Amino acid sequence: MAICSSSSDSIGGKAKLAHALLLGVAIAASAAAAAYYGRGRRLRSRVVGIIPARFASTRFQGKPLIEILGKPMIQRTWERAKLASTLDRVVVATDDEKIAECCRGFGADVIMTSESCKNGTERCNEALQKLEKDYDIVVNIQGDEPLIEPDIIDGIVRALQGAPDAVFSTAVTSLKPEDGLDPNRVKCVVDNNGYAIYFSRGLIPFNKSGKVNPKFPYLLHLGIQSYDAKFLRIYPQLPPTPLQLEEDLEQLKVLENGYKMKVIKVNHDAHGVDTPEDVQKIEDLMRERNIS
């Protein structure tokens, strides 16, 4: 009996210690977020759009340079971004000279960044540090969204400007039922005030039948996002979080650390280029819309 009691006490002690450590991390994260929100805030008016682009993608190497109806995809994204009225400047952030040379060729400003950037957010942060001018908001414009609507860019900027308690804003649209179980289509759920609750590569919410409910208004994350510039400097210092690592979604690190994210819903029936097969889909859509 003594042996069993000792083992049980040991296990219980370890469990309590683990719980205390997790609680401490959660409290520290909440305190950091609370301190951030407690700072004096002013209208965030100076806005830069940054298009992060890398050549060495595991799923689609050289994706930014793939041609979409005769133009590199990165150029098409840049041209669309330049039409947004809220952006004071648009730059491409890359670690690859081939991409940089291509972008300079069609007139884009280019910021060279490190190969060590783990994701687009970290690349945007490094590019921001190298810009000569200070900005209040940074818009991370996905380079694989050649049909991104300028109105969506303007929408997420204005959403962040109008939500002083948020450090991040993004956009969603209606998810097509056939994309419900596709892990390349990131889903989102929001609360009644338009703030993000969770993002997932799986179907959310997930019902008892285990099937897509064609009548439910699932939301598809469009990928474009904007950040408060001060928060963007903090982001790389935040340690990776369990949900972020499991889903491989950088937005979850923001939510897990207690920060708020504003979400707007838009009508947008195009999606990004995740695989070579998506190129044909985008080109077909462009032909339907008479986009040259």
Side-chain angles (χ1 to χ4, degrees):
M1 291 296 293
I3 295 175
C4 291
S5 177
S6 174
S7 175
S8 176
D9 289 345
S10 175
I11 293 172
K14 290 179 181 178
K16 289 178 182 177
L17 177 60
H19 182 269
L21 290 172
L22 287 172
L23 182 61
V25 171
I27 291 173
S30 297
Y36 181 91
Y37 289 126
R39 297 172 186 168
R41 309 304 296 278
R42 60 183 177 78
L43 179 64
R44 296 173 279 195
S45 59
R46 297 167 298 181
V47 186
V48 61
I50 300 179
I51 307 174
R54 65 190 185 104
F55 190 89
S57 170
T58 53
R59 288 185 296 175
F60 192 171
Q61 190 169 30
K63 182 167 65 169
L65 301 182
I66 192 73
E67 288 203 350
I68 306 286
L69 292 186
K71 287 183 181 180
M73 180 165 61
I74 190 74
Q75 179 177 354
R76 291 201 173 274
T77 303
W78 177 81
E79 289 174 347
R80 301 290 290 177
K82 292 283 285 183
L83 298 175
S85 62
T86 55
L87 300 184
D88 298 308
R89 186 179 180 187
V90 178
V91 302
V92 174
T94 186
D95 59 4
D96 186 87
E97 281 296 341
K98 293 184 289 295
I99 293 175
E101 183 179 356
C102 172
C103 293
R104 294 188 187 105
F106 57 74
D109 291 336
V110 177
I111 301 291
M112 297 304 297
T113 54
S114 169
E115 293 182 2
S116 64
C117 294
K118 299 182 181 68
N119 50 51
T121 302
E122 290 193 8
R123 198 171 302 283
C124 284
N125 176 58
E126 184 178 333
L128 177 65
Q129 310 312 313
K130 294 182 177 180
L131 292 174
E132 292 126 1
K133 185 178 177 181
D134 289 333
Y135 292 93
D136 303 310
I137 291 177
V138 178
V139 185
N140 178 347
I141 303 166
Q142 302 294 309
D144 57 5
E145 288 273 357
L147 293 182
I148 186 65
E149 297 289 346
D151 287 347
I152 295 177
I153 297 174
D154 293 335
I156 65 168
V157 170
R158 293 182 181 123
L160 188 56
Q161 289 172 332
D165 58 344
V167 299
F168 193 120
S169 64
T170 191
V172 296
T173 192
S174 297
L175 177 74
K176 297 176 181 177
E178 60 267 28
D179 291 333
L181 301 179
D182 185 346
N184 291 318
R185 304 288 179 255
V186 176
K187 296 80 177 175
C188 176
V189 287
V190 300
D191 67 17
N192 290 335
N193 296 311
Y195 291 91
I197 297 174
Y198 193 67
F199 294 84
S200 180
R201 295 186 180 278
L203 183 66
I204 52 173
F206 194 77
N207 59 50
K208 290 181 179 180
S209 73
K211 299 177 181 178
V212 176
N213 178 1
K215 295 181 180 180
F216 189 86
Y218 300 102
L219 298 175
L220 170 69
H221 184 222
L222 292 179
I224 186 170
Q225 45 212 26
S226 70
Y227 325 94
D228 178 278
K230 291 180 180 178
F231 170 74
L232 184 57
R233 294 185 177 95
I234 296 171
Y235 177 87
Q237 303 168 25
L238 299 174
T241 54
L243 297 176
Q244 173 204 1
L245 294 174
E246 182 65 18
E247 295 262 18
D248 190 21
L249 294 174
E250 57 191 278
Q251 300 88 354
L252 295 177
K253 184 164 80 165
V254 179
L255 297 180
E256 284 184 89
N257 277 287
Y259 294 94
K260 299 189 75 172
M261 188 182 304
K262 191 69 174 177
V263 180
I264 63 169
K265 186 168 186 282
V266 299
N267 293 320
H268 185 67
D269 60 358
H271 59 69
V273 176
D274 296 306
T275 66
E277 292 74 28
D278 290 330
V279 174
Q280 186 63 52
K281 297 177 184 177
I282 291 291
E283 290 185 333
D284 290 344
L285 191 56
M286 290 175 67
R287 290 189 182 97
E288 289 176 14
R289 298 180 179 180
N290 294 317
I291 299 175
S292 57

